[in-house]
Amino acid sequence: MKRFNYFTLMMLALVAATGCNEKISPKLLEGNQSTTVPPIIEPEEYFLKVTNTSPSIRKFHLHQSGAGNYAKKCEVRSTDKFSSSLFRDPSRRAEFDISCIFEAEELSLQHGFSFSFEASPNTCEYVTYAPFSYFNFKPGDSSGSLTQVSCTEGTSAANIIAVAGAGALPESAAGPDSVGCGQMVDNAFADNVRQVFAAPTDDETLCRYNYSRNDGPNCDIGTITVTNHEYSYTPAQDANPATLGYSVSTRQIRCGGKVGNCIEGPMKTHNPPADATTFLIYHETVKNQAFSKNEEYKSILSSAHQNYYYANFRRNLANPHIDYNILTGNLVNYVDAFTGMTEIFATLMENYSNNKLYNNATTVPGTDPYLDSIPNTRRTRALASEPFMGLAGYKTNPYYTIYCLDAAEEMKGRIKIMVRDWDRFFSTNQATFDLITDADQYDNARIDNLTDPGELPEDGDVLNPLNDRADWDDLIPMSRTVGPLSPNTTTWEPERGFFHNGNFPRIILEN
């Protein structure tokens, strides 16, 4: 006789009770079944792409950069599955690491723009976005040790020395006892070198990178120690000789700013941490599902912002092989160097913003943070040498960058986007989109009209210029080392020099 276990008998009883047309409850069968994991469905073709989603009336045009690419979509696409090893393979990297140009006529860009970025299913574990950022003001650190001489009313350097003798007052480059009442010196400089300066009535003034007193941001992270020598002179009276009261006190001034307070650009619309200068937004993808995200940037027409708020393209940092030397006073040679040039090398601006030459190893000459000191007067350090170049570990996002990452945060694909404003309406010859600039067309140039004769000769109307909205090449004329590219020595720098306040937009917006 066959023997049945208890579970088999119970199942037979349930079948008999429910009839042939009834199903057994899934819960009863749950313990006797295994969970099936859905398989990964690989797409026929893998992609990471960016699409212009702005209103069509604005006529923006997004395309991959390079010769013949004016109609090529801004996308990485391959029948090979994206991987870190393919991205790093020198023979394959160009397929997975591209740059694109978002073309915009001046006024349309003021009204804002939008784009979406998408990835095919099971292509990227994370799709990450780095929005463009730049330094609006120059941030810095005013930390130091200062010596101050304070005197009560009626007290002077002469009567201090008369009572206390030589050596009573601090020394400066002017000689012993040369730091007088109401003056300061910076102890970072040798006694016989340092220059005196007037002690401010407000300690906040000593924080050189705090612009809040002029309605700007506070970008000074410094802490200043002041040793104050205070003198009080009482003249001789009757038989009593002149006397001198003297005390020493120390105070600390905490500037209280943040480097991130000086950052501007689209990054700021994403609510980054207060001290951030770069910002990455991570999106985790879902198995077997395509990924899509839209980014919209609003109008800046009613603000004080010029087009450099959105337009991050810089022709002077587009191609390391363009030997333009200098723009100012050398226009013909300058534009001739750019004529017909189409190839974008995104590495140049990326490394530059990281304070490196093209080799990504050598620090850009002339960018020591302490070069922003006031010679022999105040030793302070700037934390940006120009709007795209942070120092001391700070960095900006020079591009709108979309990354395809694996779960270990290694790159499998990357798209860097440059937004470029046109001084005039788009050319009917779309091949012009390939050019880095058409400045060699002079008065007829549409991308960069450097000569700008105006729309109507001898007309002073506010809208008469052809270049109505400033971009970065308008704001920062650049120079380049003469000659063929040397990755270890060729240098790019603002014509005004690094650290010059005129390189920074310094736009103050009303609250």
Side-chain angles (χ1 to χ4, degrees):
M1 182 177 180
K2 293 183 178 179
R3 305 185 69 179
F4 295 90
N5 62 31
Y6 178 77
F7 179 77
T8 303
L9 291 170
M10 287 298 295
M11 292 301 294
L12 289 172
L14 282 168
V15 171
T18 55
C20 296
N21 296 322
E22 296 292 328
K23 292 182 178 180
I24 300 172
S25 168
K27 289 185 178 180
L28 293 175
L29 294 174
E30 192 173 48
N32 204 38
Q33 291 183 337
S34 61
T35 302
T36 301
V37 178
I40 293 177
I41 302 172
E42 302 291 0
E44 291 183 5
E45 192 172 32
Y46 302 88
F47 66 79
L48 176 70
K49 66 179 181 179
V50 181
T51 307
N52 169 32
T53 57
S54 311
S56 59
I57 194 172
R58 295 178 195 166
K59 299 185 298 180
F60 298 143
H61 179 63
L62 176 63
H63 64 99
Q64 199 168 143
S65 68
N69 288 342
Y70 59 86
K72 190 173 182 179
K73 294 180 179 179
C74 182
E75 62 184 17
V76 175
R77 191 174 286 272
S78 178
T79 54
D80 292 326
K81 188 169 185 176
F82 288 22
S83 69
S84 173
S85 58
L86 278 178
F87 184 85
R88 291 182 289 111
D89 183 346
S91 67
R92 298 292 304 274
R93 181 180 167 186
E95 301 173 46
F96 299 93
D97 190 14
I98 67 170
S99 64
C100 299
I101 303 179
F102 193 107
E103 313 282 8
E105 293 160 329
E106 285 184 314
L107 184 55
S108 289
L109 185 57
Q110 284 273 306
H111 283 83
F113 68 106
S114 61
F115 59 85
S116 68
F117 46 95
E118 304 169 53
S120 52
N122 305 318
T123 303
C124 316
E125 279 71 24
Y126 294 86
V127 177
T128 301
Y129 173 50
F132 167 51
S133 63
Y134 63 88
F135 287 103
N136 184 30
F137 284 79
K138 180 172 58 180
D141 182 352
S142 293
S143 293
S145 172
L146 308 179
T147 295
Q148 178 179 357
V149 174
S150 299
C151 303
T152 58
E153 187 176 353
T155 303
S156 68
N159 51 40
I160 291 172
I161 295 170
V163 175
L169 291 168
E171 182 179 352
S172 75
D177 295 306
S178 58
V179 184
C181 297
Q183 293 182 326
M184 303 182 93
V185 287
D186 192 326
N187 300 323
F189 304 106
D191 291 355
N192 62 344
V193 169
R194 61 192 186 186
Q195 300 289 330
V196 299
F197 60 94
T201 56
D202 183 358
D203 278 348
E204 189 178 80
T205 307
L206 295 171
C207 300
R208 292 184 61 208
Y209 309 97
N210 180 1
Y211 310 100
S212 60
R213 55 189 172 273
N214 295 315
D215 298 322
N218 181 1
C219 310
D220 201 315
I221 64 172
T223 299
I224 305 167
T225 300
V226 178
T227 301
N228 186 30
H229 299 259
E230 188 167 356
Y231 297 89
S232 177
Y233 174 75
T234 302
Q237 187 175 11
D238 300 330
N240 299 319
T243 60
L244 187 68
Y246 172 67
S247 63
V248 180
S249 61
T250 301
R251 68 184 187 275
Q252 276 199 336
I253 303 162
R254 298 187 182 278
C255 296
K258 294 182 181 298
V259 175
N261 291 344
C262 271
I263 281 288
E264 262 297 357
M267 187 188 94
K268 296 287 280 193
T269 67
H270 294 274
N271 299 315
D275 203 26
T277 60
T278 60
F279 189 50
L280 291 166
I281 304 167
Y282 293 86
H283 302 284
E284 187 175 25
T285 61
V286 178
K287 180 179 178 180
N288 293 336
Q289 292 186 23
F291 173 86
S292 181
K293 181 71 172 67
N294 193 69
E295 295 293 349
E296 181 176 357
Y297 294 111
K298 297 181 180 179
S299 172
I300 54 172
L301 188 61
S302 61
S303 73
H305 287 306
Q306 292 290 311
N307 276 356
Y308 47 68
Y309 186 82
Y310 286 147
N312 60 327
F313 183 79
R314 294 178 68 169
R315 64 173 178 268
N316 293 314
L317 294 172
N319 183 315
H321 300 285
I322 300 177
D323 182 15
Y324 58 82
N325 186 17
I326 193 169
L327 167 61
T328 305
N330 194 16
L331 180 61
V332 174
N333 290 344
Y334 176 85
V335 299
D336 282 353
F338 283 88
T339 301
M341 299 298 284
T342 59
E343 194 70 21
I344 302 290
F345 291 74
T347 301
L348 172 57
M349 195 159 75
E350 187 71 62
N351 292 352
Y352 178 87
S353 73
N354 203 31
N355 192 25
K356 301 294 182 183
L357 294 184
Y358 192 65
N359 62 10
N360 196 33
T362 306
T363 300
V364 175
T367 59
D368 184 316
Y370 289 104
L371 289 174
D372 195 45
S373 298
I374 303 172
N376 298 328
T377 304
R378 284 295 310 281
R379 188 173 189 265
T380 61
R381 61 176 190 150
L383 297 176
S385 56
E386 71 115 281
F388 280 46
M389 188 188 292
L391 306 177
Y394 294 98
K395 188 181 181 298
T396 63
N397 289 338
Y399 298 104
Y400 300 82
T401 307
I402 291 89
Y403 301 90
C404 177
L405 303 179
D406 65 19
E409 205 170 8
E410 309 307 329
M411 289 184 284
K412 300 197 289 184
R414 181 173 63 179
I415 299 175
K416 292 181 176 179
I417 301 171
M418 295 160 282
V419 176
R420 174 167 65 178
D421 90 327
W422 284 52
D423 294 343
R424 301 183 66 194
F425 63 88
F426 288 155
S427 172
T428 54
N429 177 10
Q430 289 217 336
T432 305
F433 289 141
D434 287 354
L435 298 174
I436 290 174
T437 182
D438 64 348
D440 61 311
Q441 299 300 305
Y442 294 97
D443 290 0
N444 294 319
R446 299 187 181 280
I447 301 172
D448 295 306
N449 199 288
L450 303 182
T451 51
D452 199 351
E455 297 178 52
L456 302 171
E458 300 179 4
D459 193 311
D461 191 285
V462 66
L463 293 181
N464 194 49
L466 296 174
N467 185 2
D468 298 284
R469 308 279 173 171
D471 61 21
W472 287 107
D473 291 311
D474 298 322
L475 184 65
I476 310 179
M478 299 283 290
S479 66
R480 178 197 180 275
T481 305
V482 177
L485 171 68
S486 169
N488 301 324
T489 59
T490 301
T491 303
W492 295 261
E493 64 177 293
E495 285 189 18
R496 302 183 189 97
F498 291 113
F499 304 110
H500 194 286
N501 285 332
N503 294 329
F504 295 84
R506 295 179 293 169
I507 296 297
I508 298 174
L509 301 177
E510 295 182 3
N511 294 327

